[in-house]
């Protein structure tokens, strides 16, 4: 193998690694004991019914507990927020959110969305192009009855069995802090079914920033010195 002078003289020369990028877990929970929903924050923008840690028999996807919002036939805007997370050491734009859920929203009137924040004040909708698996409805939520997400696409209608959603947070950069929000809403229109949203088996992870292959460079340099010594 021929070792070039460029490789030996350049102190910043790095060898690309052929190994696959490692995945780093930022948060993983099935909401089971002893952690339950520790660190999750449940608040309201409008209404009186909050998210709860539910242990209703047969409703969790795995184990015996999951998160659930059982709303009411009045205007509600209920939030389930994760603890603050950090993308330190994570490649920009690679944070992924996987979760399983089922729901029963009045189709086109009540619904749920996934959002994220970087400062705890401003919340952004996850871009439709960044969601795979179970996606939002093709139609938007009605603006006629005071829904907090009127005019937006959301999870709405009926999913009686658990389905998986995978969302990529393409705007979360390496080193940034962020948190996730599941936003459940209902409007003022009376309905005899729902609203209901159940979430289980959450996994948040990202691609680890690869470390420069400095040891490879040092090894090449040492090999070159040995060969030079033998020739002299």
């Amino acid at each position: 193998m021929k070792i070039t002078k460029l490789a030996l003289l350049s102190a910043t020369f790095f060898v690309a690694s052929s190994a696959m990028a490692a995945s780093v877990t930022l948060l993983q929970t099935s909401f089971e004991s002893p952690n339950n929903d520790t660190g999750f924050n449940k608040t309201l923008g409008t209404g009186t019914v909050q998210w709860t840690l539910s242990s209703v028999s047969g409703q969790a996807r795995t184990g015996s507990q999951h998160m659930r919002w059982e709303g009411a036939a009045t205007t509600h805007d209920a939030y389930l927020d994760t603890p603050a997370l950090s993308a330190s050491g994570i490649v920009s734009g690679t944070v992924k959110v996987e979760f399983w859920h089922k729901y029963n929203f009045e189709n086109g009137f009540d619904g749920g969305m996934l959002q994220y924040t970087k400062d705890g004040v401003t919340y952004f909708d996850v871009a439709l192009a960044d969601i795979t698996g179970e996606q939002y409805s093709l139609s938007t939520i009605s603006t006629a009855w005071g829904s907090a997400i009127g005019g937006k696409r959301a999870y709405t209608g009926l999913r009686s069995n658990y389905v998986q959603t995978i969302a990529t947070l393409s705007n979360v950069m390496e080193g940034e802090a962020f948190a996730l929000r599941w936003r459940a809403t209902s409007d003022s229109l009376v309905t005899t079914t729902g609203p209901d949203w159940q979430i289980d088996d959450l996994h948040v992870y990202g691609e680890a920033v690869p470390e420069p292959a400095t040891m490879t460079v040092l090894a090449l340099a040492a090999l070159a010195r040995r060969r030079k010594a033998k020739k002299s």
Side-chain angles (χ1 to χ4, degrees), residues 3-193:
I3 301 176
T4 66
K5 290 183 178 179
L6 177 61
L8 298 176
L9 294 176
S10 176
T12 58
F13 174 76
F14 299 121
V15 177
S17 171
S18 61
M20 293 183 64
S23 176
V24 177
T25 293
L26 305 179
L27 175 65
Q28 187 167 20
T29 181
S30 294
F31 303 105
E32 300 298 322
S33 178
N35 295 324
N36 299 318
D37 58 350
T38 300
F40 283 77
N41 193 30
K42 300 173 282 291
T43 56
L44 291 166
T46 306
T48 59
V49 181
Q50 293 187 335
W51 284 86
T52 60
L53 178 66
S54 175
S55 57
V56 175
S57 178
Q59 291 300 311
R61 177 177 178 268
T62 59
S64 60
Q65 297 187 149
H66 65 297
M67 298 306 299
R68 187 173 191 175
W69 182 72
E70 292 182 274
T74 56
T75 303
H76 274 75
D77 193 9
Y79 312 139
L80 174 66
D81 298 345
T82 66
L85 304 173
S86 173
S88 177
I90 303 298
V91 175
S92 295
T94 68
V95 172
K96 291 187 180 296
V97 184
E98 295 184 0
F99 65 99
W100 291 81
H101 57 137
K102 60 181 179 178
Y103 49 88
N104 184 9
F105 289 114
E106 185 181 13
N107 194 22
F109 295 93
D110 303 331
M113 299 182 69
L114 176 63
Q115 299 180 313
Y116 68 96
T117 182
K118 296 182 181 182
D119 60 7
V121 177
T122 303
Y123 285 80
F124 302 95
D125 301 338
V126 175
L128 297 175
D130 288 338
I131 298 176
T132 59
E134 178 72 359
Q135 299 187 353
Y136 292 151
S137 170
L138 294 177
S139 58
T140 59
I141 299 296
S142 172
T143 59
W145 300 94
S147 171
I149 58 172
K152 295 185 176 184
R153 289 174 60 181
Y155 297 114
T156 189
L158 175 64
R159 288 290 182 271
S160 56
N161 296 314
Y162 276 98
V163 289
Q164 187 184 42
T165 287
I166 304 173
T168 300
L169 304 186
S170 58
N171 290 326
V172 173
M173 301 293 105
E174 193 276 326
E176 289 185 327
F178 68 98
L180 300 164
R181 167 173 286 180
W182 284 265
R183 184 179 187 181
T185 69
S186 58
D187 61 20
S188 60
L189 182 65
V190 175
T191 176
T192 57
T193 60

